[in-house]
Amino acid sequence: MSVWAVLAGGFVGTLVLTIILAGANYLRLTRMDISFLLGTAWTEDRSRARVVGYALHFVFGLLFSLAYYAAFLALGRSGWALGAAFGLLHALFAGTTLVNLLLPVVHPRMGTSMSAADSAPLLEAPGFMLLNYGRATPTVTILAHLAYGAIVGVFARG
Amino acid sequence: MTPYPPLREYAAIGDGRTVALVALDGSIEWLCLPDLDSPSVFAAILDAERGGHFTLRPRQPHEARRRYLPDTNVLETTFTTSAGAVTVTDAMTLPGRTLGPARELVRRLEGLSGHVPMTWRVEPRFGYGAAPVRLESQRPYPVATSGSDALAICAWDAGSVRCDATGMGADFEIREGGRATIAMITAHQEPLVFPGRAQAEARAAATVEFWRRWAADLAYTGPWRDAVVRSALALKLLVFAPSGAIAAAPTTSLPETIGGERNWDYRYSWIRDASFTLEALLQLGKRGEATAFFWWFMHATRLTLPRLRVLYRLDGGANAPERTLALEGYRGSRPVRIGNGAAGQLQLDAYGELLDAAFVYAAADHPLGRDTAHDLASIADFVCRHWREPDAGIWEVRADPRHHTQSKAMCWVALDRAVRMARLGRLPGRHIDRWSTEAANIRRFIDDHCWSEAKQSYVWYAGSEELDASLLLMAIMRYDPPESPRLRSTIDAVRRELAAGPLLYRYTGDDGIAGGEGAFVCCAFWLAEALAIVGRRDEAAALFEDLLRLANDLGLYAEEIAPETHAFLGNFPQGLVHLALISAAMAMAQQ
């Protein structure tokens, strides 16, 4: 198992995850826009936010693949099924803790149920499993992360 | 009482992406999101029950009067009740580069006197009233979602918002000097962005300033400046900022006759309007908009060259499949159509319009570029090959194709402009002899087959004795010189046969569609322009003044007006009417 292979898997997995989310967005299944969500933490400029957001998204995709790598090493095995299982955990973590607890702490423009726009505009809070962005969002998120995890797992196995 | 206000009671506000229609009673009854040609979220104008609306009005009997804030597309409505008066200022704010809602409609209220109990209610119905809507409260904001679209209300000092199964709203009271603001924000394929009150109000104020600056830059200094500026502002509402395309109107299926089936979707850009639009924009000093529009239609048409589609989507796409919606229609006028089946018709006049637009653009010292010059030459070649074919004509008749005189004349215009541009070195000149020869052949065809000795007029189509108002364009497009006896007598004949007071029917013959229609307002402005061109300026000015009196209280026009009642008919506001108004005023200013 090579760390470079896992990073390559992280890159391809993030690419696929991005395509799945964008496709679901186009098909009117969700309003989740990961680049917009991440990028607006850095800038108020809509166009620039999307560029920054995509860059951050890919950086996070690579960092998460390293976490997968560590877990694969700890368990002494890898593969698409184990990767997909990690992907499921990853999706549940992202949909519950990451976007609802951690993201509002670091994102100056992210709304919560306790906030209201005042001096600065606020982004719509994602809600549990990002349900505020559409009822199909949890399903789409889980599918996208299953694909991501499976791809990282395949690359890790070589 | 009918739930459908007269069409002349609507006002239009917009942000360069979409347009909302606001009724005199403060109800927003037409709005498509995110763009002008997207499905509607408010369409009460087409179905009072299912269409969706955003009402805001006093809870007591009241009178309403309104105006646009001077030189803007921001609407101010003043409601007066027995207990006091309040103004509502409606603006679709213009997006900036900073983070804000994708689309935002801000309604600011100010108490003028006494205390006025007010109520507002939003009933969003996405997808032309057919898409499922989920309404919920994302504290403190009520939010409606449907697929990848969302709408939320941010209200300040406008009551305690209730959200129920069908909508959201509140009652509140506004006292003299009191202020309240309601911002309706929307998102498409992204999370909502909730603004603070100060931001929403600042954007509304910046929007007023934007429109004032835009109007102040208009170069027109001739007579009837107010009407020309209002028409320019109405036209600007129809410019789809992301592409530079200009929609014919922001609505679909407002009927040409109440209860009739002549209900069409005008949320497309017609190539036919190209030269009018370019000429108007250039003469108004709006070179930026003119350049954007020219390159938009040159890019859009590239997909189908040398054949032109009659109309293109605002994003430049060529497909506009027509279908009907399960809506009641304005005052029961079914069907309600989206898409436009005329897109695939052969309408030969469009080729003349496009080449004339290119000629106007090039004459204003704009570079065409080598590829565009080749494209234009290929269009001229196409005209040489196809001008002998019958077509659907400018009126898009759905009867059998005919040899329409105006179509032939515009083919002549196409070749005339191609020859002139080639002689100036702006187009490749290798086919110039062929273009000249075919132009002469077209003129001979019109002289031999499209002239009626009995009527002393050109006729609607070859071999007929009927007239139509598009013959006036032969003057405006300089097919014949102003001193031409044929042109002069045609203008008189058209007026004699088609006029109804100051208005003009476009024709009186059969067009393959059941039911009648009102008088086409653009045709009456064409008549005024044609009269001015042949030197009858006083007659033209008198007619023009009569027509100005037929606008609604805000200076806007629908496509048609019923001559007997002066009721508006057809899509509203219609760009071609406002273009014709500007063009006629300019023609008179030049006399």
PDB file of all heavy atoms in Angstrom, chain A residues 25 28 31 44-46 50 117-122 124 131-132 135, chain B residues 97-100 102 134 138 141 147-150 189-190 192 194 199:
ATOM      1  N   ASN A  25     -27.226  18.180  -8.359  1.00  0.00           N
ATOM      2  CA  ASN A  25     -27.651  19.576  -8.342  1.00  0.00           C
ATOM      3  C   ASN A  25     -28.370  19.920  -9.644  1.00  0.00           C
ATOM      4  O   ASN A  25     -29.450  20.512  -9.654  1.00  0.00           O
ATOM      5  CB  ASN A  25     -26.397  20.448  -8.155  1.00  0.00           C
ATOM      6  CG  ASN A  25     -26.722  21.868  -7.806  1.00  0.00           C
ATOM      7  OD1 ASN A  25     -27.371  22.539  -8.581  1.00  0.00           O
ATOM      8  ND2 ASN A  25     -26.275  22.323  -6.642  1.00  0.00           N
ATOM      9  N   ARG A  28     -31.849  18.691 -10.029  1.00  0.00           N
ATOM     10  CA  ARG A  28     -32.771  19.316  -9.081  1.00  0.00           C
ATOM     11  C   ARG A  28     -32.997  18.472  -7.832  1.00  0.00           C
ATOM     12  O   ARG A  28     -34.022  18.580  -7.167  1.00  0.00           O
ATOM     13  CB  ARG A  28     -34.128  19.613  -9.749  1.00  0.00           C
ATOM     14  CG  ARG A  28     -34.042  20.563 -10.927  1.00  0.00           C
ATOM     15  CD  ARG A  28     -35.375  20.695 -11.643  1.00  0.00           C
ATOM     16  NE  ARG A  28     -36.457  21.005 -10.730  1.00  0.00           N
ATOM     17  CZ  ARG A  28     -36.816  22.227 -10.352  1.00  0.00           C
ATOM     18  NH1 ARG A  28     -36.153  23.251 -10.823  1.00  0.00           N
ATOM     19  NH2 ARG A  28     -37.813  22.418  -9.523  1.00  0.00           N
ATOM     20  N   ARG A  31     -29.766  21.374  -3.416  1.00  0.00           N
ATOM     21  CA  ARG A  31     -29.187  22.704  -3.614  1.00  0.00           C
ATOM     22  C   ARG A  31     -27.801  22.784  -3.003  1.00  0.00           C
ATOM     23  O   ARG A  31     -27.227  23.873  -2.898  1.00  0.00           O
ATOM     24  CB  ARG A  31     -30.086  23.779  -2.993  1.00  0.00           C
ATOM     25  CG  ARG A  31     -31.328  24.072  -3.813  1.00  0.00           C
ATOM     26  CD  ARG A  31     -32.083  25.243  -3.231  1.00  0.00           C
ATOM     27  NE  ARG A  31     -32.663  24.927  -1.944  1.00  0.00           N
ATOM     28  CZ  ARG A  31     -32.346  25.512  -0.803  1.00  0.00           C
ATOM     29  NH1 ARG A  31     -31.427  26.465  -0.779  1.00  0.00           N
ATOM     30  NH2 ARG A  31     -32.922  25.174   0.330  1.00  0.00           N
ATOM     31  N   GLU A  44     -16.241  37.039   0.090  1.00  0.00           N
ATOM     32  CA  GLU A  44     -17.650  37.356  -0.197  1.00  0.00           C
ATOM     33  C   GLU A  44     -17.910  37.411  -1.696  1.00  0.00           C
ATOM     34  O   GLU A  44     -19.050  37.527  -2.121  1.00  0.00           O
ATOM     35  CB  GLU A  44     -18.011  38.709   0.414  1.00  0.00           C
ATOM     36  CG  GLU A  44     -18.270  38.654   1.900  1.00  0.00           C
ATOM     37  CD  GLU A  44     -19.103  39.837   2.375  1.00  0.00           C
ATOM     38  OE1 GLU A  44     -19.428  40.706   1.547  1.00  0.00           O
ATOM     39  OE2 GLU A  44     -19.424  39.880   3.565  1.00  0.00           O
ATOM     40  N   ASP A  45     -16.853  37.365  -2.479  1.00  0.00           N
ATOM     41  CA  ASP A  45     -16.992  37.438  -3.929  1.00  0.00           C
ATOM     42  C   ASP A  45     -17.483  36.086  -4.447  1.00  0.00           C
ATOM     43  O   ASP A  45     -16.792  35.072  -4.322  1.00  0.00           O
ATOM     44  CB  ASP A  45     -15.642  37.793  -4.546  1.00  0.00           C
ATOM     45  CG  ASP A  45     -15.734  37.972  -6.046  1.00  0.00           C
ATOM     46  OD1 ASP A  45     -16.296  37.091  -6.709  1.00  0.00           O
ATOM     47  OD2 ASP A  45     -15.238  38.988  -6.554  1.00  0.00           O
ATOM     48  N   ARG A  46     -18.674  36.090  -5.048  1.00  0.00           N
ATOM     49  CA  ARG A  46     -19.294  34.825  -5.453  1.00  0.00           C
ATOM     50  C   ARG A  46     -18.415  34.014  -6.417  1.00  0.00           C
ATOM     51  O   ARG A  46     -18.249  32.812  -6.241  1.00  0.00           O
ATOM     52  CB  ARG A  46     -20.636  35.083  -6.146  1.00  0.00           C
ATOM     53  CG  ARG A  46     -21.775  35.334  -5.211  1.00  0.00           C
ATOM     54  CD  ARG A  46     -23.040  35.669  -5.978  1.00  0.00           C
ATOM     55  NE  ARG A  46     -24.193  35.523  -5.115  1.00  0.00           N
ATOM     56  CZ  ARG A  46     -24.861  34.398  -4.954  1.00  0.00           C
ATOM     57  NH1 ARG A  46     -24.501  33.322  -5.621  1.00  0.00           N
ATOM     58  NH2 ARG A  46     -25.893  34.326  -4.152  1.00  0.00           N
ATOM     59  N   ARG A  50     -16.240  30.359  -5.523  1.00  0.00           N
ATOM     60  CA  ARG A  50     -16.373  29.022  -6.118  1.00  0.00           C
ATOM     61  C   ARG A  50     -15.007  28.449  -6.491  1.00  0.00           C
ATOM     62  O   ARG A  50     -14.773  27.252  -6.339  1.00  0.00           O
ATOM     63  CB  ARG A  50     -17.302  29.074  -7.333  1.00  0.00           C
ATOM     64  CG  ARG A  50     -18.756  29.230  -6.936  1.00  0.00           C
ATOM     65  CD  ARG A  50     -19.711  28.647  -7.964  1.00  0.00           C
ATOM     66  NE  ARG A  50     -20.992  28.336  -7.361  1.00  0.00           N
ATOM     67  CZ  ARG A  50     -21.959  29.232  -7.142  1.00  0.00           C
ATOM     68  NH1 ARG A  50     -21.778  30.470  -7.473  1.00  0.00           N
ATOM     69  NH2 ARG A  50     -23.099  28.859  -6.580  1.00  0.00           N
ATOM     70  N   ALA A 117     -29.035  37.039  10.177  1.00  0.00           N
ATOM     71  CA  ALA A 117     -28.202  37.980   9.436  1.00  0.00           C
ATOM     72  C   ALA A 117     -28.346  39.358  10.040  1.00  0.00           C
ATOM     73  O   ALA A 117     -29.441  39.802  10.330  1.00  0.00           O
ATOM     74  CB  ALA A 117     -28.638  38.001   7.977  1.00  0.00           C
ATOM     75  N   ASP A 118     -27.236  40.011  10.236  1.00  0.00           N
ATOM     76  CA  ASP A 118     -27.302  41.356  10.793  1.00  0.00           C
ATOM     77  C   ASP A 118     -26.383  42.259   9.994  1.00  0.00           C
ATOM     78  O   ASP A 118     -26.772  42.837   8.998  1.00  0.00           O
ATOM     79  CB  ASP A 118     -26.914  41.307  12.267  1.00  0.00           C
ATOM     80  CG  ASP A 118     -27.176  42.628  12.951  1.00  0.00           C
ATOM     81  OD1 ASP A 118     -27.721  43.524  12.289  1.00  0.00           O
ATOM     82  OD2 ASP A 118     -26.826  42.767  14.137  1.00  0.00           O
ATOM     83  N   SER A 119     -25.128  42.323  10.419  1.00  0.00           N
ATOM     84  CA  SER A 119     -24.210  43.189   9.689  1.00  0.00           C
ATOM     85  C   SER A 119     -23.625  42.485   8.471  1.00  0.00           C
ATOM     86  O   SER A 119     -23.129  43.111   7.558  1.00  0.00           O
ATOM     87  CB  SER A 119     -23.082  43.648  10.608  1.00  0.00           C
ATOM     88  OG  SER A 119     -22.407  42.520  11.119  1.00  0.00           O
ATOM     89  N   ALA A 120     -23.673  41.158   8.469  1.00  0.00           N
ATOM     90  CA  ALA A 120     -23.134  40.409   7.331  1.00  0.00           C
ATOM     91  C   ALA A 120     -24.178  39.407   6.857  1.00  0.00           C
ATOM     92  O   ALA A 120     -24.991  38.931   7.650  1.00  0.00           O
ATOM     93  CB  ALA A 120     -21.857  39.680   7.756  1.00  0.00           C
ATOM     94  N   PRO A 121     -24.170  39.077   5.575  1.00  0.00           N
ATOM     95  CA  PRO A 121     -25.116  38.072   5.094  1.00  0.00           C
ATOM     96  C   PRO A 121     -24.754  36.698   5.637  1.00  0.00           C
ATOM     97  O   PRO A 121     -23.598  36.424   5.948  1.00  0.00           O
ATOM     98  CB  PRO A 121     -24.926  38.123   3.576  1.00  0.00           C
ATOM     99  CG  PRO A 121     -23.541  38.645   3.389  1.00  0.00           C
ATOM    100  CD  PRO A 121     -23.286  39.566   4.532  1.00  0.00           C
ATOM    101  N   LEU A 122     -25.754  35.856   5.770  1.00  0.00           N
ATOM    102  CA  LEU A 122     -25.520  34.514   6.281  1.00  0.00           C
ATOM    103  C   LEU A 122     -25.985  33.477   5.287  1.00  0.00           C
ATOM    104  O   LEU A 122     -27.028  33.637   4.648  1.00  0.00           O
ATOM    105  CB  LEU A 122     -26.291  34.313   7.593  1.00  0.00           C
ATOM    106  CG  LEU A 122     -25.730  34.995   8.834  1.00  0.00           C
ATOM    107  CD1 LEU A 122     -26.590  34.658  10.028  1.00  0.00           C
ATOM    108  CD2 LEU A 122     -24.283  34.587   9.088  1.00  0.00           C
ATOM    109  N   GLU A 124     -27.575  29.918   4.305  1.00  0.00           N
ATOM    110  CA  GLU A 124     -28.597  29.038   4.860  1.00  0.00           C
ATOM    111  C   GLU A 124     -27.917  27.873   5.586  1.00  0.00           C
ATOM    112  O   GLU A 124     -27.030  27.213   5.021  1.00  0.00           O
ATOM    113  CB  GLU A 124     -29.445  28.515   3.694  1.00  0.00           C
ATOM    114  CG  GLU A 124     -30.547  27.581   4.067  1.00  0.00           C
ATOM    115  CD  GLU A 124     -31.270  27.066   2.817  1.00  0.00           C
ATOM    116  OE1 GLU A 124     -30.751  27.276   1.696  1.00  0.00           O
ATOM    117  OE2 GLU A 124     -32.331  26.463   2.977  1.00  0.00           O
ATOM    118  N   LEU A 131     -30.303  18.398   5.254  1.00  0.00           N
ATOM    119  CA  LEU A 131     -31.681  18.276   4.747  1.00  0.00           C
ATOM    120  C   LEU A 131     -32.265  19.607   4.279  1.00  0.00           C
ATOM    121  O   LEU A 131     -33.177  19.620   3.437  1.00  0.00           O
ATOM    122  CB  LEU A 131     -32.575  17.674   5.828  1.00  0.00           C
ATOM    123  CG  LEU A 131     -32.710  16.155   5.792  1.00  0.00           C
ATOM    124  CD1 LEU A 131     -33.344  15.660   7.081  1.00  0.00           C
ATOM    125  CD2 LEU A 131     -33.526  15.714   4.581  1.00  0.00           C
ATOM    126  N   ASN A 132     -31.744  20.726   4.822  1.00  0.00           N
ATOM    127  CA  ASN A 132     -32.277  22.026   4.387  1.00  0.00           C
ATOM    128  C   ASN A 132     -32.017  22.276   2.906  1.00  0.00           C
ATOM    129  O   ASN A 132     -32.682  23.095   2.284  1.00  0.00           O
ATOM    130  CB  ASN A 132     -31.641  23.158   5.201  1.00  0.00           C
ATOM    131  CG  ASN A 132     -32.198  23.223   6.608  1.00  0.00           C
ATOM    132  OD1 ASN A 132     -33.123  22.488   6.952  1.00  0.00           O
ATOM    133  ND2 ASN A 132     -31.613  24.066   7.439  1.00  0.00           N
ATOM    134  N   ARG A 135     -34.540  17.296   0.205  1.00  0.00           N
ATOM    135  CA  ARG A 135     -34.766  16.016   0.876  1.00  0.00           C
ATOM    136  C   ARG A 135     -33.870  14.902   0.361  1.00  0.00           C
ATOM    137  O   ARG A 135     -33.599  13.935   1.061  1.00  0.00           O
ATOM    138  CB  ARG A 135     -36.235  15.609   0.718  1.00  0.00           C
ATOM    139  CG  ARG A 135     -37.120  16.404   1.632  1.00  0.00           C
ATOM    140  CD  ARG A 135     -38.536  15.906   1.605  1.00  0.00           C
ATOM    141  NE  ARG A 135     -39.325  16.617   2.599  1.00  0.00           N
ATOM    142  CZ  ARG A 135     -40.619  16.471   2.748  1.00  0.00           C
ATOM    143  NH1 ARG A 135     -41.284  15.644   1.969  1.00  0.00           N
ATOM    144  NH2 ARG A 135     -41.266  17.141   3.665  1.00  0.00           N
TER     145      ARG A 135
ATOM    146  N   ARG B  97     -20.773  42.080  -6.634  1.00  0.00           N
ATOM    147  CA  ARG B  97     -19.770  41.013  -6.533  1.00  0.00           C
ATOM    148  C   ARG B  97     -19.707  40.426  -5.127  1.00  0.00           C
ATOM    149  O   ARG B  97     -19.195  39.340  -4.925  1.00  0.00           O
ATOM    150  CB  ARG B  97     -18.392  41.558  -6.928  1.00  0.00           C
ATOM    151  CG  ARG B  97     -18.271  41.801  -8.426  1.00  0.00           C
ATOM    152  CD  ARG B  97     -16.842  42.128  -8.809  1.00  0.00           C
ATOM    153  NE  ARG B  97     -15.951  40.977  -8.663  1.00  0.00           N
ATOM    154  CZ  ARG B  97     -15.835  39.995  -9.556  1.00  0.00           C
ATOM    155  NH1 ARG B  97     -16.577  39.998 -10.639  1.00  0.00           N
ATOM    156  NH2 ARG B  97     -14.983  39.002  -9.369  1.00  0.00           N
ATOM    157  N   THR B  98     -20.223  41.193  -4.155  1.00  0.00           N
ATOM    158  CA  THR B  98     -20.162  40.692  -2.789  1.00  0.00           C
ATOM    159  C   THR B  98     -21.280  39.680  -2.546  1.00  0.00           C
ATOM    160  O   THR B  98     -22.235  39.590  -3.317  1.00  0.00           O
ATOM    161  CB  THR B  98     -20.287  41.835  -1.779  1.00  0.00           C
ATOM    162  OG1 THR B  98     -21.492  42.524  -2.053  1.00  0.00           O
ATOM    163  CG2 THR B  98     -19.103  42.774  -1.873  1.00  0.00           C
ATOM    164  N   LEU B  99     -21.119  38.964  -1.460  1.00  0.00           N
ATOM    165  CA  LEU B  99     -22.057  37.883  -1.164  1.00  0.00           C
ATOM    166  C   LEU B  99     -23.440  38.451  -0.867  1.00  0.00           C
ATOM    167  O   LEU B  99     -23.614  39.260   0.036  1.00  0.00           O
ATOM    168  CB  LEU B  99     -21.549  37.079   0.036  1.00  0.00           C
ATOM    169  CG  LEU B  99     -22.332  35.815   0.344  1.00  0.00           C
ATOM    170  CD1 LEU B  99     -22.279  34.838  -0.812  1.00  0.00           C
ATOM    171  CD2 LEU B  99     -21.799  35.180   1.622  1.00  0.00           C
ATOM    172  N   GLY B 100     -24.398  38.000  -1.630  1.00  0.00           N
ATOM    173  CA  GLY B 100     -25.785  38.405  -1.431  1.00  0.00           C
ATOM    174  C   GLY B 100     -26.672  37.354  -2.042  1.00  0.00           C
ATOM    175  O   GLY B 100     -26.187  36.399  -2.663  1.00  0.00           O
ATOM    176  N   ALA B 102     -28.975  35.274  -4.535  1.00  0.00           N
ATOM    177  CA  ALA B 102     -28.872  35.145  -5.990  1.00  0.00           C
ATOM    178  C   ALA B 102     -29.870  36.074  -6.674  1.00  0.00           C
ATOM    179  O   ALA B 102     -29.548  36.723  -7.664  1.00  0.00           O
ATOM    180  CB  ALA B 102     -29.110  33.694  -6.391  1.00  0.00           C
ATOM    181  N   ARG B 134     -42.281  22.632  -0.532  1.00  0.00           N
ATOM    182  CA  ARG B 134     -42.179  22.349   0.902  1.00  0.00           C
ATOM    183  C   ARG B 134     -42.012  23.690   1.623  1.00  0.00           C
ATOM    184  O   ARG B 134     -41.109  24.464   1.308  1.00  0.00           O
ATOM    185  CB  ARG B 134     -40.981  21.449   1.175  1.00  0.00           C
ATOM    186  CG  ARG B 134     -40.888  20.996   2.631  1.00  0.00           C
ATOM    187  CD  ARG B 134     -39.961  19.808   2.772  1.00  0.00           C
ATOM    188  NE  ARG B 134     -38.599  20.123   2.367  1.00  0.00           N
ATOM    189  CZ  ARG B 134     -37.517  19.906   3.121  1.00  0.00           C
ATOM    190  NH1 ARG B 134     -37.629  19.363   4.305  1.00  0.00           N
ATOM    191  NH2 ARG B 134     -36.317  20.190   2.679  1.00  0.00           N
ATOM    192  N   GLN B 138     -37.121  27.944   8.820  1.00  0.00           N
ATOM    193  CA  GLN B 138     -35.731  27.785   9.254  1.00  0.00           C
ATOM    194  C   GLN B 138     -35.451  29.004  10.104  1.00  0.00           C
ATOM    195  O   GLN B 138     -35.038  30.035   9.597  1.00  0.00           O
ATOM    196  CB  GLN B 138     -34.787  27.728   8.051  1.00  0.00           C
ATOM    197  CG  GLN B 138     -34.868  26.450   7.253  1.00  0.00           C
ATOM    198  CD  GLN B 138     -33.818  26.443   6.133  1.00  0.00           C
ATOM    199  OE1 GLN B 138     -32.792  27.086   6.213  1.00  0.00           O
ATOM    200  NE2 GLN B 138     -34.102  25.699   5.080  1.00  0.00           N
ATOM    201  N   TYR B 141     -36.397  32.434   9.590  1.00  0.00           N
ATOM    202  CA  TYR B 141     -36.881  32.707   8.236  1.00  0.00           C
ATOM    203  C   TYR B 141     -37.841  31.632   7.743  1.00  0.00           C
ATOM    204  O   TYR B 141     -37.518  30.447   7.808  1.00  0.00           O
ATOM    205  CB  TYR B 141     -35.701  32.782   7.260  1.00  0.00           C
ATOM    206  CG  TYR B 141     -34.581  33.671   7.719  1.00  0.00           C
ATOM    207  CD1 TYR B 141     -33.381  33.141   8.164  1.00  0.00           C
ATOM    208  CD2 TYR B 141     -34.738  35.052   7.718  1.00  0.00           C
ATOM    209  CE1 TYR B 141     -32.350  33.954   8.592  1.00  0.00           C
ATOM    210  CE2 TYR B 141     -33.715  35.882   8.152  1.00  0.00           C
ATOM    211  CZ  TYR B 141     -32.515  35.324   8.588  1.00  0.00           C
ATOM    212  OH  TYR B 141     -31.509  36.137   9.016  1.00  0.00           O
ATOM    213  N   GLY B 147     -37.286  21.179  -5.275  1.00  0.00           N
ATOM    214  CA  GLY B 147     -36.141  20.727  -6.059  1.00  0.00           C
ATOM    215  C   GLY B 147     -34.920  21.561  -5.759  1.00  0.00           C
ATOM    216  O   GLY B 147     -34.534  21.718  -4.604  1.00  0.00           O
ATOM    217  N   SER B 148     -34.323  22.112  -6.792  1.00  0.00           N
ATOM    218  CA  SER B 148     -33.112  22.899  -6.584  1.00  0.00           C
ATOM    219  C   SER B 148     -33.406  24.390  -6.433  1.00  0.00           C
ATOM    220  O   SER B 148     -32.512  25.210  -6.579  1.00  0.00           O
ATOM    221  CB  SER B 148     -32.145  22.669  -7.745  1.00  0.00           C
ATOM    222  OG  SER B 148     -32.781  22.985  -8.954  1.00  0.00           O
ATOM    223  N   ASP B 149     -34.653  24.738  -6.179  1.00  0.00           N
ATOM    224  CA  ASP B 149     -35.019  26.142  -5.984  1.00  0.00           C
ATOM    225  C   ASP B 149     -35.484  26.376  -4.555  1.00  0.00           C
ATOM    226  O   ASP B 149     -36.094  25.497  -3.938  1.00  0.00           O
ATOM    227  CB  ASP B 149     -36.149  26.536  -6.943  1.00  0.00           C
ATOM    228  CG  ASP B 149     -35.696  26.502  -8.377  1.00  0.00           C
ATOM    229  OD1 ASP B 149     -34.850  27.328  -8.746  1.00  0.00           O
ATOM    230  OD2 ASP B 149     -36.161  25.619  -9.125  1.00  0.00           O
ATOM    231  N   ALA B 150     -35.206  27.556  -4.059  1.00  0.00           N
ATOM    232  CA  ALA B 150     -35.654  27.924  -2.716  1.00  0.00           C
ATOM    233  C   ALA B 150     -35.981  29.403  -2.678  1.00  0.00           C
ATOM    234  O   ALA B 150     -35.430  30.191  -3.459  1.00  0.00           O
ATOM    235  CB  ALA B 150     -34.581  27.594  -1.686  1.00  0.00           C
ATOM    236  N   GLN B 189     -29.997  26.062  -7.156  1.00  0.00           N
ATOM    237  CA  GLN B 189     -28.852  25.147  -7.149  1.00  0.00           C
ATOM    238  C   GLN B 189     -27.761  25.590  -6.174  1.00  0.00           C
ATOM    239  O   GLN B 189     -26.575  25.319  -6.401  1.00  0.00           O
ATOM    240  CB  GLN B 189     -28.269  24.991  -8.559  1.00  0.00           C
ATOM    241  CG  GLN B 189     -29.255  24.357  -9.531  1.00  0.00           C
ATOM    242  CD  GLN B 189     -28.674  24.111 -10.902  1.00  0.00           C
ATOM    243  OE1 GLN B 189     -27.774  24.799 -11.339  1.00  0.00           O
ATOM    244  NE2 GLN B 189     -29.176  23.102 -11.580  1.00  0.00           N
ATOM    245  N   GLU B 190     -28.138  26.293  -5.122  1.00  0.00           N
ATOM    246  CA  GLU B 190     -27.165  26.667  -4.099  1.00  0.00           C
ATOM    247  C   GLU B 190     -27.932  27.005  -2.822  1.00  0.00           C
ATOM    248  O   GLU B 190     -29.156  27.214  -2.855  1.00  0.00           O
ATOM    249  CB  GLU B 190     -26.333  27.867  -4.558  1.00  0.00           C
ATOM    250  CG  GLU B 190     -27.140  29.145  -4.703  1.00  0.00           C
ATOM    251  CD  GLU B 190     -26.294  30.360  -5.063  1.00  0.00           C
ATOM    252  OE1 GLU B 190     -25.288  30.189  -5.743  1.00  0.00           O
ATOM    253  OE2 GLU B 190     -26.672  31.463  -4.649  1.00  0.00           O
ATOM    254  N   LEU B 192     -29.413  29.233   0.230  1.00  0.00           N
ATOM    255  CA  LEU B 192     -29.885  30.617   0.322  1.00  0.00           C
ATOM    256  C   LEU B 192     -28.837  31.476   1.024  1.00  0.00           C
ATOM    257  O   LEU B 192     -28.071  30.977   1.856  1.00  0.00           O
ATOM    258  CB  LEU B 192     -31.183  30.666   1.118  1.00  0.00           C
ATOM    259  CG  LEU B 192     -32.435  30.112   0.419  1.00  0.00           C
ATOM    260  CD1 LEU B 192     -33.477  29.707   1.453  1.00  0.00           C
ATOM    261  CD2 LEU B 192     -33.008  31.149  -0.549  1.00  0.00           C
ATOM    262  N   PHE B 194     -28.959  34.735   3.356  1.00  0.00           N
ATOM    263  CA  PHE B 194     -29.882  35.640   4.040  1.00  0.00           C
ATOM    264  C   PHE B 194     -29.190  36.987   4.267  1.00  0.00           C
ATOM    265  O   PHE B 194     -28.125  37.032   4.890  1.00  0.00           O
ATOM    266  CB  PHE B 194     -30.296  35.048   5.388  1.00  0.00           C
ATOM    267  CG  PHE B 194     -31.027  33.740   5.261  1.00  0.00           C
ATOM    268  CD1 PHE B 194     -30.408  32.554   5.621  1.00  0.00           C
ATOM    269  CD2 PHE B 194     -32.319  33.700   4.785  1.00  0.00           C
ATOM    270  CE1 PHE B 194     -31.066  31.342   5.507  1.00  0.00           C
ATOM    271  CE2 PHE B 194     -32.987  32.492   4.667  1.00  0.00           C
ATOM    272  CZ  PHE B 194     -32.360  31.306   5.023  1.00  0.00           C
ATOM    273  N   GLN B 199     -28.184  45.608   4.620  1.00  0.00           N
ATOM    274  CA  GLN B 199     -27.670  45.217   3.296  1.00  0.00           C
ATOM    275  C   GLN B 199     -28.777  45.241   2.243  1.00  0.00           C
ATOM    276  O   GLN B 199     -28.582  45.725   1.125  1.00  0.00           O
ATOM    277  CB  GLN B 199     -27.073  43.824   3.351  1.00  0.00           C
ATOM    278  CG  GLN B 199     -25.873  43.725   4.253  1.00  0.00           C
ATOM    279  CD  GLN B 199     -25.818  42.383   4.938  1.00  0.00           C
ATOM    280  OE1 GLN B 199     -26.508  41.449   4.539  1.00  0.00           O
ATOM    281  NE2 GLN B 199     -25.013  42.291   5.970  1.00  0.00           N
TER     282      GLN B 199
END
